[in-house]
Amino acid sequence: FPFPRREAWWVALGTKEGKIISIDKVTSAEKVVEHKIKFLAPRKGQYDFDLYVMSNAYIGFDHKDSVELTTLDASVLPEYKIHPDDAELDDEPTLFEEMMNANIEDDSDSEEEEDSDDESEEEGIRELSAAEKKKQELQNARKKAASAAGDDSDSDDDEVEEVYNEK
């Protein structure tokens, strides 16, 4: 290779029909590595899978092996018990729910503000934003500086375009 390449192994588990069940990248530099493959077990029965181990750095080291798997009935498995602390967590809102509730509150406030802004614009009176206030202050300061210097023409202001970003 024209550049350093880190060795990695790909471990893939698939069915005889060619469906991929699991594929993992193993980057350990150890000579012997134990890797656990986790996937949703199929229904009770006997299954044959193909296990592929492939290198991204070495040619000719790829390996294929057949794996037999016997799944048991769910009644044979130990009963899954929920810890009481975990059960209490189901009663609390998730982070996503909290964020959605915050957005709903913000949206309802903004609609009221928009309604009040629309009413004031209809009457002809509108409160200036912070950027507009700053722009007016700068224009007033320039006019004062120009009048103090003896230059009363506002032609310079017509040629200059001021840009403000609201934060």
Side-chain angles (χ1 to χ4, degrees), residues 94-151:
T94 63
L95 180 61
F96 178 75
E97 291 170 338
E98 288 179 2
M99 295 300 293
M100 291 303 295
N101 288 336
N103 285 342
I104 290 171
E105 291 172 3
D106 289 344
D107 289 345
S108 64
D109 291 344
S110 64
E111 288 175 4
E112 292 171 7
E113 290 172 3
E114 289 174 5
D115 292 342
S116 64
D117 288 345
D118 292 340
E119 292 170 3
S120 63
E121 286 178 6
E122 290 173 4
E123 298 170 6
I125 300 172
R126 182 175 63 91
E127 186 175 333
L128 297 176
S129 68
E132 291 172 329
K133 287 179 184 177
K134 188 173 183 179
K135 182 177 179 180
Q136 275 189 346
E137 289 173 6
L138 287 172
Q139 287 176 344
N140 292 338
R142 285 185 181 154
K143 287 180 182 177
K144 286 181 185 177
S147 63
D151 183 20

Side-chain angles (χ1 to χ4, degrees), residues 28-157:
S28 176
E30 300 293 321
K31 290 187 179 195
V32 177
V33 176
E34 182 178 314
H35 181 73
K36 295 183 181 181
I37 299 174
K38 295 182 181 183
F39 62 96
L40 185 62
R43 285 178 262 154
K44 179 182 174 183
Q46 179 93 9
Y47 296 93
D48 292 325
F49 293 104
D50 288 331
L51 179 69
Y52 298 90
V53 180
M54 298 169 280
S55 173
N56 72 340
Y58 302 109
I59 297 174
F61 280 87
D62 297 349
H63 184 73
K64 176 185 172 185
D65 201 5
S66 292
V67 178
E68 290 184 8
L69 175 71
T70 303
T71 55
L72 304 174
D73 190 13
S75 63
V76 179
L77 299 174
E79 184 180 340
Y80 180 74
K81 294 182 181 177
I82 298 174
H83 193 274
D85 292 342
D86 292 336
E88 291 173 8
L89 290 175
D90 287 339
D91 298 334
E92 296 183 19
T94 63
L95 180 61
F96 178 75
E97 291 170 338
E98 288 179 2
M99 295 300 293
M100 291 303 295
N101 288 336
N103 285 342
I104 290 171
E105 291 172 3
D106 289 344
D107 289 345
S108 64
D109 291 344
S110 64
E111 288 175 4
E112 292 171 7
E113 290 172 3
E114 289 174 5
D115 292 342
S116 64
D117 288 345
D118 292 340
E119 292 170 3
S120 63
E121 286 178 6
E122 290 173 4
E123 298 170 6
I125 300 172
R126 182 175 63 91
E127 186 175 333
L128 297 176
S129 68
E132 291 172 329
K133 287 179 184 177
K134 188 173 183 179
K135 182 177 179 180
Q136 275 189 346
E137 289 173 6
L138 287 172
Q139 287 176 344
N140 292 338
R142 285 185 181 154
K143 287 180 182 177
K144 286 181 185 177
S147 63
D151 183 20
D152 291 330
S153 66
D154 290 335
S155 62
D156 293 334
D157 289 341

